[in-house]
Amino acid sequence: FESTREGVIITDTEKRILMVNRAFTELLGYNEDEILGKSMDILQSPRHVSEFFRRIWQEIRKKGHWQGEVWNVRKNGDEFPILCSTSAVQSDSGKITQYVSVFTDISKIKETEAELEFLAQHDPLTRLPNRRLLLSRIQQGIETVRRNGGLMALLMLDLDRFKDVNDSFGHVTGDELLQQVAN
């Protein structure tokens, strides 16, 4: 319980926090005294509507477990994504007595996914849309003008003798020039 790197939280049937592990306190910034007895709702991000959480708890009560991505809020107010698995603990008679949630911070994974998505559609040096995204946006613009009327403009810039900049001042200077033009 204490040696796992995943956060663990145990609640009663009213979602009041009964026990947390060290990873929980490190990930969320609360110490045990601050969080024990509080409702799990204190961790909910406003990114999700209350209906989202209602459906999660409905599934846990119906199926006995739920697993998925959800955003939580740290003590300092920072929001972060987690992969969470929550299970209902039942007595011998089948009555739910507690809930156990195990979660891991997936912020780094989400950041990497977002960066890869960005790089798939943008030039890494200038951060401008690449050819594929440019053509897609031009097509969207044409379709919008056809549908709604109006005008569309496309501005193209050509850097004359750019090769001379690279040859005379080096590729680092050429890259800086491209970045300044892009800005």
Side-chain angles (χ1 to χ4, degrees), residues 16-35:
R16 285 186 304 261
I17 300 170
L18 302 175
M19 186 181 271
V20 296
N21 70 345
R22 182 174 30 251
F24 172 95
T25 60
E26 290 170 1
L27 287 168
L28 285 131
Y30 290 99
N31 63 46
E32 278 190 65
D33 296 337
E34 295 173 306
I35 200 75

mmCIF file with all atom_site columns, all heavy atoms in Angstrom, residues 16-35:
data_model
loop_
_atom_site.group_PDB
_atom_site.id
_atom_site.type_symbol
_atom_site.label_atom_id
_atom_site.label_alt_id
_atom_site.label_comp_id
_atom_site.label_asym_id
_atom_site.label_entity_id
_atom_site.label_seq_id
_atom_site.pdbx_PDB_ins_code
_atom_site.Cartn_x
_atom_site.Cartn_y
_atom_site.Cartn_z
_atom_site.occupancy
_atom_site.B_iso_or_equiv
_atom_site.pdbx_formal_charge
_atom_site.auth_seq_id
_atom_site.auth_comp_id
_atom_site.auth_asym_id
_atom_site.auth_atom_id
_atom_site.pdbx_PDB_model_num
ATOM 1   N N   . ARG A 1 16 ? -16.440 9.438  1.584  1.00 0.00 ? 16 ARG A N   1
ATOM 2   C CA  . ARG A 1 16 ? -15.570 10.129 2.535  1.00 0.00 ? 16 ARG A CA  1
ATOM 3   C C   . ARG A 1 16 ? -14.257 9.357  2.612  1.00 0.00 ? 16 ARG A C   1
ATOM 4   O O   . ARG A 1 16 ? -14.250 8.132  2.724  1.00 0.00 ? 16 ARG A O   1
ATOM 5   C CB  . ARG A 1 16 ? -16.216 10.224 3.913  1.00 0.00 ? 16 ARG A CB  1
ATOM 6   C CG  . ARG A 1 16 ? -17.317 11.262 3.997  1.00 0.00 ? 16 ARG A CG  1
ATOM 7   C CD  . ARG A 1 16 ? -17.818 11.416 5.423  1.00 0.00 ? 16 ARG A CD  1
ATOM 8   N NE  . ARG A 1 16 ? -18.261 10.147 5.985  1.00 0.00 ? 16 ARG A NE  1
ATOM 9   C CZ  . ARG A 1 16 ? -19.537 9.746  6.045  1.00 0.00 ? 16 ARG A CZ  1
ATOM 10  N NH1 . ARG A 1 16 ? -20.495 10.518 5.581  1.00 0.00 ? 16 ARG A NH1 1
ATOM 11  N NH2 . ARG A 1 16 ? -19.856 8.580  6.561  1.00 0.00 ? 16 ARG A NH2 1
ATOM 12  N N   . ILE A 1 17 ? -13.166 10.097 2.578  1.00 0.00 ? 17 ILE A N   1
ATOM 13  C CA  . ILE A 1 17 ? -11.840 9.490  2.512  1.00 0.00 ? 17 ILE A CA  1
ATOM 14  C C   . ILE A 1 17 ? -11.457 8.884  3.861  1.00 0.00 ? 17 ILE A C   1
ATOM 15  O O   . ILE A 1 17 ? -11.441 9.570  4.880  1.00 0.00 ? 17 ILE A O   1
ATOM 16  C CB  . ILE A 1 17 ? -10.799 10.536 2.056  1.00 0.00 ? 17 ILE A CB  1
ATOM 17  C CG1 . ILE A 1 17 ? -11.185 11.059 0.667  1.00 0.00 ? 17 ILE A CG1 1
ATOM 18  C CG2 . ILE A 1 17 ? -9.393  9.940  2.052  1.00 0.00 ? 17 ILE A CG2 1
ATOM 19  C CD1 . ILE A 1 17 ? -10.395 12.258 0.205  1.00 0.00 ? 17 ILE A CD1 1
ATOM 20  N N   . LEU A 1 18 ? -11.144 7.577  3.815  1.00 0.00 ? 18 LEU A N   1
ATOM 21  C CA  . LEU A 1 18 ? -10.762 6.845  5.019  1.00 0.00 ? 18 LEU A CA  1
ATOM 22  C C   . LEU A 1 18 ? -9.253  6.646  5.117  1.00 0.00 ? 18 LEU A C   1
ATOM 23  O O   . LEU A 1 18 ? -8.699  6.643  6.213  1.00 0.00 ? 18 LEU A O   1
ATOM 24  C CB  . LEU A 1 18 ? -11.435 5.464  5.036  1.00 0.00 ? 18 LEU A CB  1
ATOM 25  C CG  . LEU A 1 18 ? -12.953 5.434  4.973  1.00 0.00 ? 18 LEU A CG  1
ATOM 26  C CD1 . LEU A 1 18 ? -13.451 4.001  4.871  1.00 0.00 ? 18 LEU A CD1 1
ATOM 27  C CD2 . LEU A 1 18 ? -13.544 6.133  6.198  1.00 0.00 ? 18 LEU A CD2 1
ATOM 28  N N   . MET A 1 19 ? -8.609  6.458  3.945  1.00 0.00 ? 19 MET A N   1
ATOM 29  C CA  . MET A 1 19 ? -7.190  6.139  3.956  1.00 0.00 ? 19 MET A CA  1
ATOM 30  C C   . MET A 1 19 ? -6.579  6.527  2.611  1.00 0.00 ? 19 MET A C   1
ATOM 31  O O   . MET A 1 19 ? -7.213  6.385  1.568  1.00 0.00 ? 19 MET A O   1
ATOM 32  C CB  . MET A 1 19 ? -7.017  4.632  4.197  1.00 0.00 ? 19 MET A CB  1
ATOM 33  C CG  . MET A 1 19 ? -5.611  4.163  4.367  1.00 0.00 ? 19 MET A CG  1
ATOM 34  S SD  . MET A 1 19 ? -5.570  2.352  4.602  1.00 0.00 ? 19 MET A SD  1
ATOM 35  C CE  . MET A 1 19 ? -5.743  2.275  6.370  1.00 0.00 ? 19 MET A CE  1
ATOM 36  N N   . VAL A 1 20 ? -5.353  7.035  2.658  1.00 0.00 ? 20 VAL A N   1
ATOM 37  C CA  . VAL A 1 20 ? -4.591  7.344  1.448  1.00 0.00 ? 20 VAL A CA  1
ATOM 38  C C   . VAL A 1 20 ? -3.162  6.852  1.660  1.00 0.00 ? 20 VAL A C   1
ATOM 39  O O   . VAL A 1 20 ? -2.719  6.707  2.790  1.00 0.00 ? 20 VAL A O   1
ATOM 40  C CB  . VAL A 1 20 ? -4.583  8.862  1.125  1.00 0.00 ? 20 VAL A CB  1
ATOM 41  C CG1 . VAL A 1 20 ? -5.990  9.350  0.803  1.00 0.00 ? 20 VAL A CG1 1
ATOM 42  C CG2 . VAL A 1 20 ? -3.963  9.677  2.243  1.00 0.00 ? 20 VAL A CG2 1
ATOM 43  N N   . ASN A 1 21 ? -2.466  6.628  0.562  1.00 0.00 ? 21 ASN A N   1
ATOM 44  C CA  . ASN A 1 21 ? -1.062  6.217  0.696  1.00 0.00 ? 21 ASN A CA  1
ATOM 45  C C   . ASN A 1 21 ? -0.137  7.408  0.450  1.00 0.00 ? 21 ASN A C   1
ATOM 46  O O   . ASN A 1 21 ? -0.575  8.509  0.130  1.00 0.00 ? 21 ASN A O   1
ATOM 47  C CB  . ASN A 1 21 ? -0.732  5.027  -0.228 1.00 0.00 ? 21 ASN A CB  1
ATOM 48  C CG  . ASN A 1 21 ? -0.728  5.402  -1.692 1.00 0.00 ? 21 ASN A CG  1
ATOM 49  O OD1 . ASN A 1 21 ? -1.211  6.450  -2.096 1.00 0.00 ? 21 ASN A OD1 1
ATOM 50  N ND2 . ASN A 1 21 ? -0.185  4.509  -2.507 1.00 0.00 ? 21 ASN A ND2 1
ATOM 51  N N   . ARG A 1 22 ? 1.150   7.153  0.606  1.00 0.00 ? 22 ARG A N   1
ATOM 52  C CA  . ARG A 1 22 ? 2.158   8.204  0.457  1.00 0.00 ? 22 ARG A CA  1
ATOM 53  C C   . ARG A 1 22 ? 2.150   8.791  -0.960 1.00 0.00 ? 22 ARG A C   1
ATOM 54  O O   . ARG A 1 22 ? 2.276   9.992  -1.157 1.00 0.00 ? 22 ARG A O   1
ATOM 55  C CB  . ARG A 1 22 ? 3.547   7.656  0.804  1.00 0.00 ? 22 ARG A CB  1
ATOM 56  C CG  . ARG A 1 22 ? 4.645   8.687  0.720  1.00 0.00 ? 22 ARG A CG  1
ATOM 57  C CD  . ARG A 1 22 ? 6.017   8.208  1.196  1.00 0.00 ? 22 ARG A CD  1
ATOM 58  N NE  . ARG A 1 22 ? 6.296   6.800  1.023  1.00 0.00 ? 22 ARG A NE  1
ATOM 59  C CZ  . ARG A 1 22 ? 6.381   5.909  2.035  1.00 0.00 ? 22 ARG A CZ  1
ATOM 60  N NH1 . ARG A 1 22 ? 6.225   6.312  3.272  1.00 0.00 ? 22 ARG A NH1 1
ATOM 61  N NH2 . ARG A 1 22 ? 6.635   4.649  1.796  1.00 0.00 ? 22 ARG A NH2 1
ATOM 62  N N   . ALA A 1 23 ? 1.985   7.943  -1.991 1.00 0.00 ? 23 ALA A N   1
ATOM 63  C CA  . ALA A 1 23 ? 1.957   8.435  -3.376 1.00 0.00 ? 23 ALA A CA  1
ATOM 64  C C   . ALA A 1 23 ? 0.793   9.411  -3.571 1.00 0.00 ? 23 ALA A C   1
ATOM 65  O O   . ALA A 1 23 ? 0.926   10.412 -4.279 1.00 0.00 ? 23 ALA A O   1
ATOM 66  C CB  . ALA A 1 23 ? 1.863   7.268  -4.357 1.00 0.00 ? 23 ALA A CB  1
ATOM 67  N N   . PHE A 1 24 ? -0.342  9.141  -2.934 1.00 0.00 ? 24 PHE A N   1
ATOM 68  C CA  . PHE A 1 24 ? -1.477  10.059 -3.010 1.00 0.00 ? 24 PHE A CA  1
ATOM 69  C C   . PHE A 1 24 ? -1.084  11.431 -2.472 1.00 0.00 ? 24 PHE A C   1
ATOM 70  O O   . PHE A 1 24 ? -1.323  12.452 -3.109 1.00 0.00 ? 24 PHE A O   1
ATOM 71  C CB  . PHE A 1 24 ? -2.672  9.508  -2.210 1.00 0.00 ? 24 PHE A CB  1
ATOM 72  C CG  . PHE A 1 24 ? -3.812  10.475 -2.092 1.00 0.00 ? 24 PHE A CG  1
ATOM 73  C CD1 . PHE A 1 24 ? -4.862  10.421 -2.982 1.00 0.00 ? 24 PHE A CD1 1
ATOM 74  C CD2 . PHE A 1 24 ? -3.840  11.443 -1.096 1.00 0.00 ? 24 PHE A CD2 1
ATOM 75  C CE1 . PHE A 1 24 ? -5.923  11.323 -2.889 1.00 0.00 ? 24 PHE A CE1 1
ATOM 76  C CE2 . PHE A 1 24 ? -4.873  12.342 -0.995 1.00 0.00 ? 24 PHE A CE2 1
ATOM 77  C CZ  . PHE A 1 24 ? -5.922  12.286 -1.892 1.00 0.00 ? 24 PHE A CZ  1
ATOM 78  N N   . THR A 1 25 ? -0.471  11.453 -1.292 1.00 0.00 ? 25 THR A N   1
ATOM 79  C CA  . THR A 1 25 ? -0.118  12.741 -0.686 1.00 0.00 ? 25 THR A CA  1
ATOM 80  C C   . THR A 1 25 ? 0.924   13.477 -1.521 1.00 0.00 ? 25 THR A C   1
ATOM 81  O O   . THR A 1 25 ? 0.866   14.709 -1.639 1.00 0.00 ? 25 THR A O   1
ATOM 82  C CB  . THR A 1 25 ? 0.384   12.571 0.769  1.00 0.00 ? 25 THR A CB  1
ATOM 83  O OG1 . THR A 1 25 ? 1.541   11.743 0.784  1.00 0.00 ? 25 THR A OG1 1
ATOM 84  C CG2 . THR A 1 25 ? -0.698  11.964 1.654  1.00 0.00 ? 25 THR A CG2 1
ATOM 85  N N   . GLU A 1 26 ? 1.850   12.737 -2.124 1.00 0.00 ? 26 GLU A N   1
ATOM 86  C CA  . GLU A 1 26 ? 2.868   13.372 -2.969 1.00 0.00 ? 26 GLU A CA  1
ATOM 87  C C   . GLU A 1 26 ? 2.251   13.934 -4.257 1.00 0.00 ? 26 GLU A C   1
ATOM 88  O O   . GLU A 1 26 ? 2.608   15.018 -4.694 1.00 0.00 ? 26 GLU A O   1
ATOM 89  C CB  . GLU A 1 26 ? 3.978   12.378 -3.302 1.00 0.00 ? 26 GLU A CB  1
ATOM 90  C CG  . GLU A 1 26 ? 4.838   12.042 -2.104 1.00 0.00 ? 26 GLU A CG  1
ATOM 91  C CD  . GLU A 1 26 ? 5.798   10.877 -2.354 1.00 0.00 ? 26 GLU A CD  1
ATOM 92  O OE1 . GLU A 1 26 ? 5.810   10.336 -3.483 1.00 0.00 ? 26 GLU A OE1 1
ATOM 93  O OE2 . GLU A 1 26 ? 6.526   10.511 -1.413 1.00 0.00 ? 26 GLU A OE2 1
ATOM 94  N N   . LEU A 1 27 ? 1.338   13.193 -4.859 1.00 0.00 ? 27 LEU A N   1
ATOM 95  C CA  . LEU A 1 27 ? 0.727   13.622 -6.118 1.00 0.00 ? 27 LEU A CA  1
ATOM 96  C C   . LEU A 1 27 ? -0.246  14.783 -5.946 1.00 0.00 ? 27 LEU A C   1
ATOM 97  O O   . LEU A 1 27 ? -0.341  15.649 -6.803 1.00 0.00 ? 27 LEU A O   1
ATOM 98  C CB  . LEU A 1 27 ? -0.002  12.451 -6.783 1.00 0.00 ? 27 LEU A CB  1
ATOM 99  C CG  . LEU A 1 27 ? 0.880   11.387 -7.417 1.00 0.00 ? 27 LEU A CG  1
ATOM 100 C CD1 . LEU A 1 27 ? 0.057   10.147 -7.768 1.00 0.00 ? 27 LEU A CD1 1
ATOM 101 C CD2 . LEU A 1 27 ? 1.556   11.937 -8.660 1.00 0.00 ? 27 LEU A CD2 1
ATOM 102 N N   . LEU A 1 28 ? -0.971  14.782 -4.831 1.00 0.00 ? 28 LEU A N   1
ATOM 103 C CA  . LEU A 1 28 ? -2.014  15.794 -4.652 1.00 0.00 ? 28 LEU A CA  1
ATOM 104 C C   . LEU A 1 28 ? -1.643  16.926 -3.697 1.00 0.00 ? 28 LEU A C   1
ATOM 105 O O   . LEU A 1 28 ? -2.337  17.934 -3.652 1.00 0.00 ? 28 LEU A O   1
ATOM 106 C CB  . LEU A 1 28 ? -3.314  15.126 -4.208 1.00 0.00 ? 28 LEU A CB  1
ATOM 107 C CG  . LEU A 1 28 ? -3.962  14.418 -5.400 1.00 0.00 ? 28 LEU A CG  1
ATOM 108 C CD1 . LEU A 1 28 ? -4.356  13.027 -5.072 1.00 0.00 ? 28 LEU A CD1 1
ATOM 109 C CD2 . LEU A 1 28 ? -5.109  15.226 -5.914 1.00 0.00 ? 28 LEU A CD2 1
ATOM 110 N N   . GLY A 1 29 ? -0.581  16.760 -2.925 1.00 0.00 ? 29 GLY A N   1
ATOM 111 C CA  . GLY A 1 29 ? -0.124  17.846 -2.057 1.00 0.00 ? 29 GLY A CA  1
ATOM 112 C C   . GLY A 1 29 ? -0.813  17.927 -0.701 1.00 0.00 ? 29 GLY A C   1
ATOM 113 O O   . GLY A 1 29 ? -0.520  18.812 0.087  1.00 0.00 ? 29 GLY A O   1
ATOM 114 N N   . TYR A 1 30 ? -1.725  17.043 -0.425 1.00 0.00 ? 30 TYR A N   1
ATOM 115 C CA  . TYR A 1 30 ? -2.388  17.009 0.882  1.00 0.00 ? 30 TYR A CA  1
ATOM 116 C C   . TYR A 1 30 ? -1.622  16.081 1.802  1.00 0.00 ? 30 TYR A C   1
ATOM 117 O O   . TYR A 1 30 ? -1.082  15.069 1.363  1.00 0.00 ? 30 TYR A O   1
ATOM 118 C CB  . TYR A 1 30 ? -3.806  16.429 0.765  1.00 0.00 ? 30 TYR A CB  1
ATOM 119 C CG  . TYR A 1 30 ? -4.796  17.296 0.047  1.00 0.00 ? 30 TYR A CG  1
ATOM 120 C CD1 . TYR A 1 30 ? -5.099  17.069 -1.287 1.00 0.00 ? 30 TYR A CD1 1
ATOM 121 C CD2 . TYR A 1 30 ? -5.452  18.328 0.708  1.00 0.00 ? 30 TYR A CD2 1
ATOM 122 C CE1 . TYR A 1 30 ? -6.025  17.851 -1.954 1.00 0.00 ? 30 TYR A CE1 1
ATOM 123 C CE2 . TYR A 1 30 ? -6.383  19.121 0.051  1.00 0.00 ? 30 TYR A CE2 1
ATOM 124 C CZ  . TYR A 1 30 ? -6.667  18.870 -1.278 1.00 0.00 ? 30 TYR A CZ  1
ATOM 125 O OH  . TYR A 1 30 ? -7.587  19.643 -1.924 1.00 0.00 ? 30 TYR A OH  1
ATOM 126 N N   . ASN A 1 31 ? -1.604  16.397 3.108  1.00 0.00 ? 31 ASN A N   1
ATOM 127 C CA  . ASN A 1 31 ? -1.141  15.390 4.049  1.00 0.00 ? 31 ASN A CA  1
ATOM 128 C C   . ASN A 1 31 ? -2.378  14.666 4.579  1.00 0.00 ? 31 ASN A C   1
ATOM 129 O O   . ASN A 1 31 ? -3.507  15.119 4.387  1.00 0.00 ? 31 ASN A O   1
ATOM 130 C CB  . ASN A 1 31 ? -0.266  15.985 5.166  1.00 0.00 ? 31 ASN A CB  1
ATOM 131 C CG  . ASN A 1 31 ? -1.009  16.970 6.041  1.00 0.00 ? 31 ASN A CG  1
ATOM 132 O OD1 . ASN A 1 31 ? -2.127  16.704 6.466  1.00 0.00 ? 31 ASN A OD1 1
ATOM 133 N ND2 . ASN A 1 31 ? -0.392  18.110 6.313  1.00 0.00 ? 31 ASN A ND2 1
ATOM 134 N N   . GLU A 1 32 ? -2.172  13.541 5.205  1.00 0.00 ? 32 GLU A N   1
ATOM 135 C CA  . GLU A 1 32 ? -3.304  12.712 5.649  1.00 0.00 ? 32 GLU A CA  1
ATOM 136 C C   . GLU A 1 32 ? -4.279  13.483 6.529  1.00 0.00 ? 32 GLU A C   1
ATOM 137 O O   . GLU A 1 32 ? -5.494  13.355 6.369  1.00 0.00 ? 32 GLU A O   1
ATOM 138 C CB  . GLU A 1 32 ? -2.798  11.481 6.408  1.00 0.00 ? 32 GLU A CB  1
ATOM 139 C CG  . GLU A 1 32 ? -2.373  10.362 5.521  1.00 0.00 ? 32 GLU A CG  1
ATOM 140 C CD  . GLU A 1 32 ? -2.104  9.093  6.299  1.00 0.00 ? 32 GLU A CD  1
ATOM 141 O OE1 . GLU A 1 32 ? -3.053  8.549  6.886  1.00 0.00 ? 32 GLU A OE1 1
ATOM 142 O OE2 . GLU A 1 32 ? -0.932  8.672  6.318  1.00 0.00 ? 32 GLU A OE2 1
ATOM 143 N N   . ASP A 1 33 ? -3.770  14.269 7.466  1.00 0.00 ? 33 ASP A N   1
ATOM 144 C CA  . ASP A 1 33 ? -4.648  14.990 8.394  1.00 0.00 ? 33 ASP A CA  1
ATOM 145 C C   . ASP A 1 33 ? -5.588  15.941 7.670  1.00 0.00 ? 33 ASP A C   1
ATOM 146 O O   . ASP A 1 33 ? -6.717  16.163 8.117  1.00 0.00 ? 33 ASP A O   1
ATOM 147 C CB  . ASP A 1 33 ? -3.809  15.788 9.415  1.00 0.00 ? 33 ASP A CB  1
ATOM 148 C CG  . ASP A 1 33 ? -2.983  14.884 10.310 1.00 0.00 ? 33 ASP A CG  1
ATOM 149 O OD1 . ASP A 1 33 ? -3.354  13.694 10.464 1.00 0.00 ? 33 ASP A OD1 1
ATOM 150 O OD2 . ASP A 1 33 ? -1.956  15.359 10.837 1.00 0.00 ? 33 ASP A OD2 1
ATOM 151 N N   . GLU A 1 34 ? -5.133  16.517 6.566  1.00 0.00 ? 34 GLU A N   1
ATOM 152 C CA  . GLU A 1 34 ? -5.957  17.472 5.819  1.00 0.00 ? 34 GLU A CA  1
ATOM 153 C C   . GLU A 1 34 ? -7.056  16.805 5.005  1.00 0.00 ? 34 GLU A C   1
ATOM 154 O O   . GLU A 1 34 ? -8.075  17.422 4.725  1.00 0.00 ? 34 GLU A O   1
ATOM 155 C CB  . GLU A 1 34 ? -5.090  18.271 4.836  1.00 0.00 ? 34 GLU A CB  1
ATOM 156 C CG  . GLU A 1 34 ? -4.066  19.162 5.470  1.00 0.00 ? 34 GLU A CG  1
ATOM 157 C CD  . GLU A 1 34 ? -3.151  19.776 4.440  1.00 0.00 ? 34 GLU A CD  1
ATOM 158 O OE1 . GLU A 1 34 ? -2.551  19.021 3.636  1.00 0.00 ? 34 GLU A OE1 1
ATOM 159 O OE2 . GLU A 1 34 ? -3.040  21.015 4.437  1.00 0.00 ? 34 GLU A OE2 1
ATOM 160 N N   . ILE A 1 35 ? -6.859  15.567 4.605  1.00 0.00 ? 35 ILE A N   1
ATOM 161 C CA  . ILE A 1 35 ? -7.751  14.946 3.635  1.00 0.00 ? 35 ILE A CA  1
ATOM 162 C C   . ILE A 1 35 ? -8.675  13.882 4.232  1.00 0.00 ? 35 ILE A C   1
ATOM 163 O O   . ILE A 1 35 ? -9.775  13.679 3.737  1.00 0.00 ? 35 ILE A O   1
ATOM 164 C CB  . ILE A 1 35 ? -6.934  14.381 2.446  1.00 0.00 ? 35 ILE A CB  1
ATOM 165 C CG1 . ILE A 1 35 ? -7.813  14.170 1.214  1.00 0.00 ? 35 ILE A CG1 1
ATOM 166 C CG2 . ILE A 1 35 ? -6.200  13.125 2.813  1.00 0.00 ? 35 ILE A CG2 1
ATOM 167 C CD1 . ILE A 1 35 ? -8.182  15.422 0.515  1.00 0.00 ? 35 ILE A CD1 1
#
